[in-house]
Amino acid sequence: MGTEEGAPRTPDADRTAATTAGRPLRRGPVVAAMMLSVALAALDGTVIATAVPQIVGDLGGFSLFSWLFSGYLLTVTVTIPVYGRLSDTYGRKPVLITGIVLFLIGSLLCAAAWDMASLIAFRVLQGLGGGALQGTVQTIAGDLYPLKDRPRIQARLSGVWAASAVAGPAVGGLLTTYADWRWIFLVNLPVGGLALWLVARYLVEPRRTGPQGRARVDWPGALLVFAAGAVVLTALVQGGVAWPWLSAPSLGLLGAGALLVALTVLVERRAAEPIVPGWVWRRRTIAAVNLALGALGLLMVAPSVFLPTYAQAVLGLGPVAAGFVLSVMILSWPVSASLSHHVYRRVGFRQSAVIGMSLAMLALLVFPFLPYPGEPWQPALLMLLLGAALGLFQLPLIVGVQSTVGWSERGTATGSVLFCRQIGQSVGAALFGAVANAVLTSRLGPSGGDLDTAARALDDPGALSPAASETLRRAVDTAVEYVYLGAAAAAGLAVLALLLVAPRRFPVLTEPDGD
């Protein structure tokens, strides 16, 4: 059943990937639908950023506006493993269609929201659909293409995701300025409608017989996974922001989350068809990739969250130029990912990922040594190198994991690694936010405020004297340097997870496993 990684699949396996139910599969329309779905999910994670003033001015509820982001992202994160298991049970097509429909209903209701509470509730509904879009699209990519072609399609999806996420704030700003903030959600309808039609018309799945067709869903486990993830992530996202870390809300949420996690483990161990089966952690390959992708989510907080603040507060750039310093990473990431098969076919999935993350760690370690205040091209060059390194790291691991499981396990395995990456991002935001604020406090005293407050003060030329401005700018520079050192440590953890846990050669399947 298995062979060394990088070896070609059997002709039967290739035919299975290209044909379903005895009919040729038209990949072009399906790939177009996948790209549209990915763009929708990524865009809605960031598109609201520049529209917040207009939304708050129209609906009120300034104290709640952060939940416009958190509610969507939390729901996406906790539903990814649930949708992965459902796609293995019922098939990818019904899960993806359900996700698109939920996303479009949520978008329509968001456009009709009458106050901040209703808008947040409808964003959560959007997130229920967004979780299905993220995980299922990645799984379908593994279904449609044999091993030798997966880097190309995954690189395309990565490029669409990165471009959409970076373009989100600009799109939101344009629609808010020249139309109305409600159009941020209304534009999803034609795009999502086209994706829905393409999926319904052209995605044809293999007919499955035997136990998989009659498998039951562990709904109690699904609800517990959702509840445990929501509580823990809420504690991580809101701790230190909405309330202090050692306050009653933080401690209460963390305690409740720990109890729910323990109950989830107990229920899942007894379930006949668990939502998060134990084999995702018992198999060394998947367990190692889960840990490595979690570390990736952790380190990605440094460039995605703190670099724009650094570019504006320390380098003195405007929002557009600061965004460009970060966005150069999306130029090299997809290119590196699409070429990564030349590396992992020679040295293997694990070694390719180790090389990529080792290079990423070096790029992150160089950041604290940049001159102060420096030139914009210096961090931009590091981001270009970081994107190339991470493309060489992430894609071989996702392709490798998908190639070690059959159709009936691919959705669960893909959902597992994506879920761990999302959890890493949430943990990273909380951890590095605490690090940055601690550095600012040590440099400026207890009244120094947090990083956002410092950035806003530096953005107002008349708010500070030249001496105070210089002191604050240097404090922000030091805080971001410590964050990048923490990100480099996360990269080191990813390398250790791969070297100590992952097998030297991934056990790639050469047969369709009865698909």
Side-chain angles (χ1 to χ4, degrees):
M1 291 297 297
T3 187
E4 292 186 348
E5 59 199 52
R9 291 167 64 95
T10 63
D12 286 342
D14 285 343
R15 283 197 297 270
T16 301
T19 63
T20 52
R23 289 181 290 167
L25 177 64
R26 295 182 60 181
R27 286 178 176 166
V30 176
V31 171
M34 292 162 59
M35 290 184 172
L36 291 174
S37 301
V38 166
L40 285 174
L43 196 65
D44 265 66
T46 59
V47 71
I48 286 185
T50 49
V52 167
Q54 288 76 13
I55 295 175
V56 171
D58 191 7
L59 301 181
F62 176 79
S63 62
L64 300 174
F65 84 89
S66 65
W67 280 100
L68 293 177
F69 307 93
S70 301
Y72 176 82
L73 294 176
L74 290 178
T75 313
V76 167
T77 300
V78 299
T79 54
I80 283 176
V82 176
Y83 283 124
R85 188 69 184 93
L86 292 177
S87 73
D88 285 342
T89 303
Y90 295 114
R92 327 299 189 210
K93 185 173 182 177
V95 171
L96 183 55
I97 287 177
T98 300
I100 295 175
V101 170
L102 287 174
F103 188 88
L104 293 180
I105 293 174
S107 298
L108 183 61
L109 291 175
C110 283
W114 53 90
D115 58 22
M116 185 63 73
S118 64
L119 181 57
I120 291 171
F122 299 144
R123 283 283 285 172
V124 169
L125 180 59
Q126 262 194 321
L128 288 175
L133 299 184
Q134 283 199 34
T136 311
V137 165
Q138 294 283 352
T139 305
I140 292 173
D143 292 340
L144 292 184
Y145 287 85
L147 176 58
K148 63 184 179 65
D149 293 330
R150 283 178 192 154
R152 185 170 67 245
I153 182 61
Q154 292 287 3
R156 291 179 185 175
L157 295 177
S158 296
V160 171
W161 177 273
S164 300
V166 172
V171 172
L174 289 173
L175 290 174
T176 302
T177 301
Y178 296 104
D180 185 82
W181 66 264
R182 298 180 189 272
W183 279 99
I184 290 174
F185 304 105
L186 291 175
V187 295
N188 292 336
L189 301 182
V191 178
L194 177 58
L196 181 63
W197 179 79
L198 291 172
V199 170
R201 175 69 178 83
Y202 292 104
L203 179 58
V204 184
E205 294 191 277
R207 294 173 181 171
R208 304 185 311 283
T209 59
Q212 285 300 322
R214 300 189 299 271
R216 294 179 298 176
V217 176
D218 174 28
W219 291 113
L223 292 175
L224 282 172
V225 169
F226 184 90
V231 171
V232 172
L233 290 175
T234 299
L236 293 174
V237 170
Q238 296 297 311
V241 179
W243 47 70
W245 278 110
L246 297 180
S247 65
S250 279
L251 296 178
L253 283 172
L254 290 173
L259 290 176
L260 285 170
V261 169
L263 183 59
T264 301
V265 172
L266 180 62
V267 170
E268 291 295 86
R269 290 183 65 180
R270 296 182 177 182
E273 296 289 341
I275 289 293
V276 183
W279 55 259
V280 301
W281 291 105
R282 287 194 299 268
R283 297 181 190 178
R284 291 175 56 196
T285 301
I286 301 176
V289 174
N290 283 341
L291 295 172
L293 266 292
L296 172 65
L298 193 70
L299 74 86
M300 278 301 297
V301 172
S304 61
V305 175
F306 291 91
L307 184 62
T309 300
Y310 170 86
Q312 294 182 71
V314 178
L315 301 182
L317 302 179
V320 176
F324 175 77
V325 173
L326 172 62
S327 64
V328 293
M329 187 166 62
I330 71 172
L331 301 176
S332 56
W333 191 318
V335 174
S336 173
S338 64
L339 299 175
S340 63
H341 65 284
H342 295 295
V343 180
Y344 69 66
R345 284 180 180 174
R346 291 179 177 272
V347 301
F349 289 120
R350 188 187 75 165
Q351 196 61 26
S352 175
V354 167
I355 293 171
M357 187 53 80
S358 298
L359 294 174
M361 182 167 58
L362 290 176
L364 293 167
L365 285 173
V366 168
F367 187 91
F369 295 96
L370 293 179
Y372 174 87
E375 298 293 334
W377 66 266
Q378 294 166 336
L381 178 60
L382 284 183
M383 292 306 99
L384 194 69
L385 297 175
L386 182 63
L390 294 180
L392 188 60
F393 166 79
Q394 178 180 263
L395 189 137
L397 292 183
I398 293 178
V399 171
V401 162
Q402 290 184 334
S403 302
T404 63
V405 294
W407 190 98
S408 61
E409 296 178 337
R410 190 170 292 134
T412 301
T414 303
S416 173
V417 299
L418 295 179
F419 175 70
C420 288
R421 186 182 66 185
Q422 294 286 106
I423 290 291
Q425 289 179 337
S426 299
V427 173
L431 177 62
F432 293 146
V435 169
N437 292 335
V439 173
L440 286 180
T441 299
S442 67
R443 289 298 183 102
L444 304 174
S447 61
D450 58 16
L451 196 64
D452 290 337
T453 303
R456 286 194 295 270
L458 289 169
D459 193 44
D460 185 357
L464 301 170
S465 66
S469 177
E470 178 66 14
T471 299
L472 188 55
R473 182 171 284 109
R474 285 188 175 275
V476 171
D477 178 64
T478 303
V480 177
E481 287 177 354
Y482 273 90
V483 168
Y484 267 78
L485 288 175
L493 292 177
V495 172
L496 287 177
L498 292 173
L499 292 177
L500 298 178
V501 181
R504 189 178 66 87
R505 307 290 289 181
F506 284 18
V508 175
L509 297 181
T510 56
E511 295 180 5
D513 198 26
D515 291 355

